[in-house]
Amino acid sequence: MTTINIMLPKEITDRHQLPMHERIGYGMVALAAFLLLLGAFGGPLTASPVLYCLLTIGLSTIGGLMVILPRFRQLPGIKNNGVMTSGLTRRGLLAWMLGVAFTAFYVILYWYPEYLGSMTASVDPISWTLRGAPADRWFLYGTLYTVAVLIMGIRMLAKYRHSPYHLVRTASVMLSQLALAFVLPAILVRLHSHEFYFHYFWPLKPDYLFPSSLQALFASDDKLIVFMGFWTVMMSFIAVPVLTYFFGKRWYCSWVCGCGALAETMGDPFRQNSDKSLKAWKAERWIVHGVLVFIVLTTALIWLNSWYGGEILGSWSASWAKAYGFYIGSLFSGVIGVGFYPIMGSRVWCRFGCPQAAILGLLQKWFSRFRITTNGGQCISCGNCSTYCEMGIDVRSYAQRGVDIKRASCVGCGVCASVCPRGVLKLENQ
Amino acid sequence: MHVVVIGNGVAGVTAARTIRKRSDAKITIVSSESPHFFSRPALMYIYMGHLEFEHTKPYEDHFWRKNRIDLLHARVDAIDTTARSITMNNGSTLTYDALVLATGSRTAFYDWPGQNLRGVHGFTTLQDLAAIEASSVGARKAIVVGGGLIGVEAAEMLHARGIDVTMLVRENAYWRNVLPPEESAMIGAHLARHGIDIRYNTELRSIDGTECVRGVTLTTGETIASNMVMICTGVRPTTDLALRSGIAVQRGIVVNEFFETSAPHVYAVGDCAEQNGIVELLWYSARAHGEHVGAVICGERSPYARDVFYNSAKFFDIEYQTYGSVPAKLDGVTSIVWQHAHKDRFLRIVHRDGIVCGFNALGLRLRAEICMQWIRARTPVDVVLRDLKRANFNEEFFAWEVAV
Ligand SMILES: Cc1cc2nc3c(=O)[nH]c(=O)nc-3n(C[C@H](O)[C@H](O)[C@H](O)COP(=O)(O)OP(=O)(O)OC[C@H]3O[C@@H](n4cnc5c(N)ncnc54)[C@H](O)[C@@H]3O)c2cc1C
Ligand code: SF4
Ligand code: SF4
């Protein structure tokens, strides 16, 4: 019997050497990251925050743009050439190194902030300008996050610019991250001494509905802060179901949410690494709904505790909430969610861990007009849609049977429809 | 009952799945190319690095056991239609109650001098792909012979890997034997913009070289240097096994409207079958054949009636869809054409005496159901134009203001 060589040799990338401007650009980003780390040890760099800021945030921005902007000159259209043969995008050494670096960053940020040293000085100039206060580690994190979303967002715009849906959607997440997650909270701190994110609600931010925070909001003399109380209750219980009924969960997950913003921009090069197997789908349903049950119970407990004056449950509910914060908030969403981007794809947290996504998903599946429709028998079963679905949905298994796709986890990113070479898929709110 | 299927392409696999949905028969698929079904049209995406081979398998490996479809990775060398048995290259035999031939098609070579040189490739099988991959190492320049659907895929994939491509097209415009002139011209210009060197009105005379390809000679006498030659001038149904076994073969394996061949209990479907003198070398047809033959084998003996024709493809960045009949020469039909001022977007609606009969779309997505329903129902073209919005299958925010 003839044996066949199905695993084709992986040798594409070495022949396609990176063009000079890309090499310089990547070099600048790497140098910026190195200088940022160097700042942890203090020294002359951190003595001049403006210079430190320019050499880190500034340099990486210029480097990133040097790599990305020339791509606007290429002909528009899907070009996933070499995605499966490059170590960076297909779990090679580079991907692992990047994953370890991301993970290490999160571990230090959450549990060993003392090792950040004077790194926060790098964003001091920005912090003073926006908030009128020195930067702390969360502001450092927020700034890096926003810069990543913006620069990789521009990459996203270049890559998918043949598609109006992606242009609008990407612009939306970029704006949302910049305005609602970065600038507005900073200004609120400055003017009202209260940090608030208008685009996060319970249960993604569970404490927003905890009695202590709500009472504090409603008890305030500041009208804006009272409004925040109304806003958070209204969004959690009315806007989420109504908007999801009309548009599916995508209105939030791939248009507004900050985690979605990072996944849809910085995560895009890694989206193909999500697990498509039936097993993964089973695990997903258990874990994500488990998290939802956990957070609902936690919230209920805390309210009960508060109604009974804290006597019945004692300090137990507080430690439960703390456990949630540690295991779900930090470990899952940060370390695993973002740290494992290069290995497990860009939506690990959104798919397996996010309680907001679980609620939106249940609504999407049972009470929504959103679905992905398929175009008659045009599917050639090629597998592009399933491969590039960041949520690990086996889109092809529906498309090749010509049935609509109505899955709780679909974030409506629209990439399956874009990569399909036969125009089989369409996102609709019919 | 034991149904044996030869060939695990889309035709054979669809037949097996259809039978499994309707009956408890024992089903065995024997195929030589790969142990599992994969999507043949996705081969180019493996080469370009968009997909890995695993991704092109439409079903996870546990699917087959769960659905009790036995898979054998072997070549069938003989069929005994009286004893109702097949013999495989590993010497083992199987007996069948019904046999489905779904042996597909292969690249047709037209006896060009030099066609056996190293670096000359057909492009239909996994083995072809592995050979192309081996030739690509260090290759700078390739010739693609033939300007059809597989030719353009070959050009795109080689180009994506940094190999310069020259395409030899016999007609005076791209795929002009199938497409009307406007469509041909738009695609030809698009390929040129991507840097493909297309030579119209050219034909291959010979492939030159001693052991490896060094270039080609055209019928005009002109020579072009190259490291690779891709033969994309068409495919030929794989009929040798049927022929050897005494089953009637013309261009393909001859079948009636029930997909029955000249031998009892033997059926043929997909690329290898010839029905009413026609061999349809299409994924969609192969799938429809498979569904139909599955029903026939399960006792639903209705004649196969072909639905409205449709097809689709992608020429680099231009998606193409067609429904019904749009003759290349536009004989006896009237066209209504819309073309975007500067983007690669084009729509042609064809009608005969006011009754719509076909659509061609480039860079636009049409809704298959609606277009096919209009054609089936012999809808007046004014109704189609009035309701054209219903046929829009483009993504949201896509400006669909067709100004006819
Ligand atoms: C590169 C390429 C791109 C294409 N793109 C499109 C497209 O976009 N749209 C479209 O409609 N069509 C497309 N086609 C055509 C489409 O792939 C075929 O029409 C379809 O695959 C036919 O399916 P099939 O099941 O009849 O045969 P095949 O898929 O050819 O499968 C037949 C199988 O039988 C096996 N076999 C043959 N003889 C024996 C034997 N004696 N013993 C054991 N096994 C045997 C073969 O090894 C093969 O695996 C494309 C084809 C190619 C090559
Ligand atoms: S199914 Fe499509 S739209 Fe939904 S998440 Fe997957 S790729 Fe995005
Ligand atoms: S990408 Fe399109 S053609 Fe390919 S499997 Fe998915 S729906 Fe089918």
Side-chain angles (χ1 to χ4, degrees), chain A residues 1 4 6 11 76 81-82 84 90 163-164 250 278 375 377-380 388 396 417 421-422 426, chain B residues 33 39 45 48-50 52-53 55 57 60 73 127 161 284 287 312 317 323 365-366 368 394-396:
Chain A
M1 197 191 312
I4 50 166
I6 293 179
E11 49 79 38
N81 299 339
M84 293 294 162
R90 200 53 185 162
S163 152
R250 58 182 171 153
L278 217 52
N375 206 7
Q378 296 277 25
C379 175
I380 49 168
Y388 287 93
R396 165 175 55 194
R422 295 294 179 271
K426 176 168 162 58
Chain B
E33 182 177 357
S39 169
Y45 299 110
M48 296 198 291
H50 294 204
E52 286 170 352
F53 174 71
H55 298 127
K57 289 183 184 170
E60 282 186 66
H73 186 197
Q127 288 77 4
R161 297 267 296 263
Y284 310 116
R287 194 178 54 201
S312 54
D317 302 318
Y323 300 97
R365 295 176 172 185
L366 298 179
N394 293 292
E395 59 182 348
E396 293 150 298

Side-chain angles (χ1 to χ4, degrees), chain A residues 380-423:
Chain A
I380 49 168
S381 299
C382 67
N384 275 293
C385 53
S386 300
T387 305
Y388 287 93
C389 174
E390 55 190 350
M391 297 306 284
I393 297 173
D394 189 358
V395 183
R396 165 175 55 194
S397 68
Y398 302 85
Q400 65 191 0
R401 286 182 286 141
V403 300
D404 289 355
I405 297 134
K406 213 165 172 15
R407 279 277 292 268
S409 60
C410 170
V411 291
C413 65
V415 167
C416 55
S418 296
V419 296
C420 172
R422 295 294 179 271

Side-chain angles (χ1 to χ4, degrees), chain B residues 39-221:
Chain B
S39 169
R40 195 169 302 286
L43 285 174
M44 65 180 290
Y45 299 110
I46 303 177
Y47 182 86
M48 296 198 291
H50 294 204
L51 301 175
E52 286 170 352
F53 174 71
E54 272 318 293
H55 298 127
T56 67
K57 289 183 184 170
Y59 303 98
E60 282 186 66
D61 290 352
H62 58 72
F63 172 89
W64 307 103
R65 182 177 303 223
K66 198 176 132 217
N67 287 281
R68 288 173 293 121
I69 297 173
D70 298 337
L71 304 180
L72 292 178
H73 186 197
R75 195 180 66 231
V76 178
D77 283 337
I79 306 170
D80 184 337
T81 54
T82 44
R84 285 206 236 147
S85 72
I86 60 169
T87 308
M88 285 166 276
N89 61 331
N90 53 17
S92 61
T93 60
L94 278 179
T95 55
Y96 61 83
D97 299 297
L99 178 68
V100 179
L101 301 176
T103 49
S105 57
R106 291 290 192 99
T107 303
F109 287 85
Y110 293 102
D111 293 325
W112 290 286
Q115 69 181 23
N116 296 322
L117 291 171
R118 199 134 44 86
V120 183
H121 302 285
F123 180 42
T124 50
T125 64
L126 268 178
Q127 288 77 4
D128 288 339
L129 187 66
I132 292 167
E133 185 71 44
S135 292
S136 303
V137 180
R140 300 241 151 272
K141 189 152 172 43
I143 307 282
V144 171
V145 186
L149 289 179
I150 299 187
V152 79
E153 291 191 356
E156 178 175 354
M157 67 189 223
L158 293 167
H159 178 73
R161 297 267 296 263
I163 298 173
D164 292 335
V165 176
T166 298
M167 254 178 120
L168 307 183
V169 177
R170 191 172 49 185
E171 290 76 27
N172 60 6
Y174 174 76
W175 213 26
R176 186 63 187 86
N177 50 338
V178 174
L179 294 177
E182 288 82 3
E183 286 88 324
S184 277
M186 180 187 270
I187 296 164
H190 184 74
L191 298 192
R193 211 171 316 133
H194 272 279
I196 305 298
D197 168 29
I198 318 187
R199 312 276 183 95
Y200 298 109
N201 303 309
T202 52
E203 272 189 78
L204 182 67
R205 180 192 290 161
S206 65
I207 302 167
D208 313 323
T210 41
E211 197 180 326
C212 299
V213 174
R214 273 192 292 104
V216 295
T217 306
L218 309 182
T219 44
T220 56

